[in-house]
Amino acid sequence: MPRLPLLALPLAALLAGPALAQHAAAQLPGKSQAAAQTNRIVAVVNGEVVSRADVIGRARLFALNAGIAVAPETLDRLTPQVTRLLVDERLRLQEVQRRRIPVTDADVADAVSELEKRNNLPPGALRQQLAQVGVAPRVLYDQIRTQIGWARLIRQQLGPNAEPSQAEVEEAVRNAKARVGQPEFLVSEIFVPVDDPANEPQVRRFVEDVIGQLRRGTPFPIAATQFSQAQTALQGGDLGWVRKEEVDPEVASVLERMPPGAISNPIRVPGGYQIIALRQKRETGRDMATMISMRQAFFPFSGTLDPNNPTQQQRDQVEKAQRLAANARSCDAVEAAGRSGGAGERPIDPGLIRLETVNPPPLKALLAGLTPGKASQPILTPDGVIVMMVCSRDMRNLAEVTPEEVKQQILRDRIENLSRQLQRDLKRRAQIEMRH
């Protein structure tokens, strides 16, 4: 069974640098800072306490990731749902511990290190920046620990059923080929459960708050990681390509009417509410794309370019780029020049690129016109000069289903179904006392 991702929390918004951290910290009122220290009990889960400080810490983590002010009214809006989320997480962690599934401090440290690498941070920077904006590092560490343990528990519970049989995969591939031409949707989801009908109005208000933040620019993966109770939260809410028969009828009805890029209103489904983001539409089995691989060498300027008065260093960098453009005969040569020139934040090898999605349009036109193996003319920017080379270009049908993709989809469905079932069972058996 493939290894599940540890955490899909994209911290770029929170960890973009000291300026953002200072801006966020400046928005924390002194009274809210003091309130975060209280240990008033808000829930007791099988004898374990969830405190007001726990709730405020998680609410702040979400608000800071989302780039919204941590004002008292924001905390008040988030508190009911965050409390229920922490109750669910406490149930999950208790079950992980009851089954003696090990999650060591080293596991958590590895996940933190992975997050730091993903966000181009030096070791230890994540802890430092969280503390800088008033979020205790253990708030994130506890979330990571629970996600790792729950993923391991699900894998353990699936056992021999984890791996779809060859016959199941072959049947699914045949079914997919029979559906060629039917509409297909690339979807992200947030699922918020309604465990008690008496809480439904409160849950719906919370869901509407989240939708409001999403429409004001909060990245969907951040909200999904923090608040979705679907197993897809581990992947930032990514549900992948789905057909209308594979989702709840209420969701299918909305998907058919949504334009790509839209975020749905609250959708009532069995067990709770779903928020859906439609990223793309296509026909099953038909998605022709021009895929290119490329290399780029970047020669940085020591200061911002004044085209009418370039410095000697800038003229030297342009001459280097011109020599490379004239003499490079392979992507290896461009890559070597890029490594010696100092690529900075521009990747030498940006990976496989779908040409149709490249922006801005002049860059797309440039790449479309380059013959593979022939370097571009130097491209001037205010901070440096770039030479690009297309290494390969070919047409692919991205919607063509493969046995491996089918196997992964079957596995994802099993993981999600088992996760929801176990969570319902834990809640049904638990002794939970909510305090107001």
Side-chain angles (χ1 to χ4, degrees):
M1 178 174 178
R3 179 174 176 267
L4 294 177
L6 296 176
L7 187 68
L9 180 60
L11 289 171
L14 174 60
L15 304 172
L20 178 58
Q22 290 160 9
H23 169 73
Q27 298 201 42
L28 293 175
K31 289 183 180 178
S32 293
Q33 289 271 30
Q37 305 308 313
T38 182
N39 281 320
R40 181 170 63 84
I41 296 172
V42 296
V44 181
V45 185
N46 292 329
E48 289 189 16
V49 164
V50 176
S51 72
R52 173 72 175 161
D54 295 331
V55 173
I56 290 178
R58 177 60 70 83
R60 279 184 172 169
L61 181 60
F62 169 72
L64 290 167
N65 271 286
I68 60 179
V70 191
E73 58 270 21
T74 303
L75 293 179
D76 288 343
R77 282 203 318 272
L78 294 174
T79 290
Q81 182 59 27
V82 171
T83 302
R84 285 191 288 273
L85 177 72
L86 289 175
V87 166
D88 286 347
E89 285 190 5
R90 194 62 56 89
L91 287 170
R92 290 185 177 197
L93 188 57
Q94 288 172 353
E95 185 66 6
V96 167
Q97 292 168 341
R98 187 183 74 81
R99 294 176 184 265
R100 304 184 189 280
I101 295 172
V103 183
T104 65
D105 290 344
D107 292 329
V108 176
D110 287 345
V112 170
S113 176
E114 186 178 321
L115 280 172
E116 288 175 332
K117 288 176 185 174
R118 208 182 301 165
N119 290 279
N120 298 314
L121 292 168
L126 178 55
R127 182 186 183 93
Q128 180 182 352
Q129 291 203 20
L130 287 173
Q132 217 175 8
V133 293
V135 177
R138 72 167 183 82
V139 174
L140 178 61
Y141 298 171
D142 288 349
Q143 184 183 8
I144 291 173
R145 186 180 299 277
T146 301
Q147 289 187 343
I148 294 172
W150 190 251
R152 289 177 178 173
L153 186 153
I154 296 296
R155 287 201 299 270
Q156 185 185 84
Q157 289 295 294
L158 280 172
N161 293 324
E163 194 71 18
S165 68
Q166 186 66 27
E168 288 175 307
V169 172
E170 289 173 355
E171 182 182 3
V173 169
R174 284 195 300 272
N175 291 339
K177 289 180 178 177
R179 290 188 298 267
V180 168
Q182 295 178 11
E184 208 171 38
F185 310 90
L186 185 58
V187 175
S188 293
E189 66 164 351
I190 293 172
F191 175 72
V192 181
V194 176
D195 300 309
D196 183 346
N199 292 331
E200 179 150 354
Q202 206 174 39
V203 173
R204 184 180 175 97
R205 281 195 300 273
F206 169 77
V207 170
E208 288 170 345
D209 274 349
V210 172
I211 290 171
Q213 293 301 331
L214 290 168
R215 289 176 176 165
R216 287 191 288 274
T218 296
F220 201 98
I222 289 176
T225 301
Q226 291 296 323
F227 291 117
S228 180
Q229 288 294 283
Q231 195 65 15
T232 53
L234 290 165
Q235 291 84 36
D238 183 16
L239 198 57
W241 286 100
V242 298
R243 299 179 311 279
K244 60 183 183 180
E245 306 84 41
E246 296 175 320
V247 295
D248 287 299
E250 297 83 358
V251 173
S253 175
V254 173
L255 282 175
E256 289 183 305
R257 301 192 304 270
M258 287 175 72
I263 293 166
S264 73
N265 292 324
I267 305 172
R268 189 63 167 93
V269 297
Y273 285 96
Q274 260 183 311
I275 305 169
I276 294 297
L278 177 58
R279 286 141 57 197
Q280 291 182 50
K281 285 184 180 180
R282 71 183 185 190
E283 292 182 349
T284 299
R286 297 175 186 162
D287 187 15
M288 299 306 297
T290 306
M291 305 301 295
I292 63 170
S293 63
M294 61 167 290
R295 300 291 187 275
Q296 58 182 352
F298 179 63
F299 301 89
F301 294 151
S302 56
T304 303
L305 174 67
D306 176 358
N308 298 318
N309 189 26
T311 66
Q312 185 59 48
Q313 187 267 351
Q314 291 167 343
R315 285 195 292 268
D316 291 344
Q317 293 292 69
V318 170
E319 287 178 9
K320 286 182 187 176
Q322 288 172 333
R323 286 197 297 273
L324 178 64
N327 298 321
R329 296 291 181 267
S330 70
C331 280
D332 288 343
V334 175
E335 183 170 341
R339 295 193 186 285
S340 63
E345 295 182 357
R346 300 173 187 269
I348 296 170
D349 177 4
L352 208 57
I353 299 169
R354 181 172 183 167
L355 184 60
E356 291 83 1
T357 64
V358 171
N359 270 312
L363 177 57
K364 178 164 69 173
L366 171 71
L367 293 174
L370 278 178
T371 302
K374 181 174 174 55
S376 71
Q377 290 301 308
I379 304 161
L380 275 177
T381 75
D383 55 348
V385 58
I386 310 169
V387 175
M388 297 180 176
M389 180 179 285
V390 171
C391 309
S392 65
R393 177 188 292 116
D394 63 291
M395 293 292 295
R396 296 188 188 178
N397 182 359
L398 299 184
E400 188 173 13
V401 68
T402 67
E404 184 58 31
E405 289 170 344
V406 166
K407 183 185 294 187
Q408 292 305 315
Q409 184 59 53
I410 295 172
L411 182 56
R412 281 195 296 271
D413 291 343
R414 288 177 179 171
I415 289 171
E416 180 60 38
N417 291 337
L418 180 57
S419 177
R420 290 194 187 187
Q421 177 188 327
L422 282 177
Q423 186 74 48
R424 285 194 301 268
D425 291 346
L426 291 178
K427 184 156 280 188
R428 191 174 61 250
R429 298 196 307 264
Q431 292 184 339
I432 301 171
E433 179 189 350
M434 307 296 289
R435 297 186 183 179
H436 302 286

